[in-house]
């Protein structure tokens, strides 16, 4: 069965802290994605990766960075957390096989920045 | 640029009643279309997808959706709603590079 896991379900951090959100998939998927979800705005793409050590900016990359050292793991980094980064963060993965494949989502991490 | 509009932020239906959630998209080429559902506190689960072929697509949990190119729509339907269907529903269109563009979501409430 398809599985995407995220390291934390809930996280509370202070303004200015460096925050790491981890995502692991066990499906040998090439593509991995980080979204943030806010009420009334749906999901917005932060960063994505097609391969190890490869990353592309999404629609809202400011204030974030990512790391993909291994195929199964994609990390989202908040270099200096701010209150406007309080949100739900969702990781997803998909395969490159075919022209458009389904994205599989993790359970999400709800981040509160105080 | 690709975009998805879900005109209804909230919808309330009675248990056993039929349901239709609206989705309109903007995309220059043949779209790949998806409906996802998110239960409270959970990630997104795929309900159904349209890539090509038959414009009426069947999904899980008794849902179906119809692709209408002339109306740029991909509305989600269910003939009889159950209390467990209460959730948030997202329509998405597949953009270049395997990316998805999501609508803002529709929150479904089911009253008994």
């Amino acid at each position: 069965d398809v599985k995407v896991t995220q390291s934390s379900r809930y996280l509370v951090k202070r303004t200015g802290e460096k925050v790491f959100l981890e995502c692991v998939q066990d499906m040998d998927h090439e593509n991995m994605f980080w979204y943030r979800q806010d009420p009334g705005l749906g999901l917005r793409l932060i960063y994505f990766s097609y391969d190890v050590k490869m990353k592309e900016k999404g629609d809202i990359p400011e204030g974030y960075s990512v790391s993909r050292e291994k195929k199964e793991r994609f990390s989202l980094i908040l270099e200096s957390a701010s209150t406007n980064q309080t949100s739900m963060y969702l990781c997803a993965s998909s395969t490159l096989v075919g022209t458009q494949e389904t994205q599989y989502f993790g359970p999400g991490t709800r981040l509160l920045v105080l | 640029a690709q975009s998805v509009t879900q005109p209804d932020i909230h919808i309330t239906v009675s248990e056993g009643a039929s349901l239709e959630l609206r989705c309109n998209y903007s995309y220059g080429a043949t779209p790949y279309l998806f409906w996802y559902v998110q239960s409270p506190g959970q990630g997104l689960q795929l309900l159904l997808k349209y890539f090509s072929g038959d414009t009426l697509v069947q999904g899980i949990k008794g849902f179906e959706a119809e692709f209408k190119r002339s109306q740029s729509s991909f509305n989600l339907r269910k003939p009889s709603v159950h209390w467990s269907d209460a959730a948030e529903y997202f329509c998405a269109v597949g953009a270049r590079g395997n990316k998805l563009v999501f609508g803002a979501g529709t929150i479904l409430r089911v009253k008994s």
Side-chain angles (χ1 to χ4, degrees):
Chain A
D1 201 12
V2 164
K3 190 127 182 161
V4 179
T5 56
Q6 295 183 229
S7 52
S8 305
R9 294 299 301 272
Y10 301 95
L11 214 50
V12 181
K13 296 292 181 181
R14 298 221 172 262
T15 301
E17 279 192 75
K18 191 168 186 176
V19 181
F20 293 86
L21 303 182
E22 305 286 339
C23 175
V24 177
Q25 51 95 3
D26 65 358
M27 298 161 286
D28 200 35
H29 281 173
E30 297 83 1
N31 304 327
M32 296 189 75
F33 307 83
W34 274 107
Y35 295 89
R36 67 176 280 175
Q37 180 185 8
D38 300 290
L41 297 177
L43 278 72
R44 292 178 291 165
L45 183 63
I46 304 172
Y47 267 97
F48 59 101
S49 169
Y50 291 142
D51 202 352
V52 175
K53 296 193 184 295
M54 177 274 174
K55 60 186 178 185
E56 292 276 349
K57 291 180 180 179
D59 300 317
I60 51 164
E62 296 78 20
Y64 304 94
S65 63
V66 290
S67 171
R68 193 163 181 202
E69 297 295 320
K70 293 184 178 181
K71 189 176 184 180
E72 68 271 18
R73 187 180 297 269
F74 192 36
S75 302
L76 179 69
I77 304 156
L78 286 65
E79 297 289 345
S80 177
S82 63
T83 54
N84 63 15
Q85 292 177 309
T86 291
S87 187
M88 170 76 124
Y89 291 88
L90 291 163
C91 175
S93 72
S94 71
T95 180
L96 274 174
V97 175
T99 54
Q100 181 67 60
E101 289 296 328
T102 303
Q103 289 189 17
Y104 295 90
F105 284 82
T109 296
R110 192 167 292 281
L111 173 66
L112 173 61
V113 182
L114 300 174
Chain B
Q2 302 87 5
S3 66
V4 175
T5 301
Q6 294 180 246
D8 304 304
I9 299 173
H10 296 100
I11 281 187
T12 300
V13 300
S14 297
E15 192 168 15
S18 63
L19 170 71
E20 183 169 34
L21 302 182
R22 295 183 291 165
C23 171
N24 293 96
Y25 67 89
S26 172
Y27 188 61
T30 301
Y32 300 108
L33 296 160
F34 303 80
W35 274 100
Y36 283 87
V37 61
Q38 184 181 37
S39 298
Q42 303 297 316
L44 272 67
Q45 179 184 21
L46 179 71
L47 280 176
L48 48 79
K49 59 188 178 185
Y50 170 78
F51 285 179
S52 65
D54 192 347
T55 56
L56 186 62
V57 181
Q58 301 297 320
I60 62 171
K61 305 185 181 187
F63 285 92
E64 66 178 26
E66 187 170 12
F67 169 58
K68 292 185 178 180
R69 185 186 298 276
S70 61
Q71 298 177 19
S72 297
S73 69
F74 189 56
N75 293 349
L76 182 71
R77 300 194 294 250
K78 187 170 184 178
S80 177
V81 169
H82 188 262
W83 64 266
S84 60
D85 294 323
E88 189 162 15
Y89 292 79
F90 292 93
C91 181
V93 63
R96 280 189 306 118
N98 289 301
K99 294 188 286 182
L100 293 181
V101 175
F102 285 85
T106 298
I107 296 172
L108 172 65
R109 298 192 180 108
V110 180
K111 60 181 181 181
S112 54

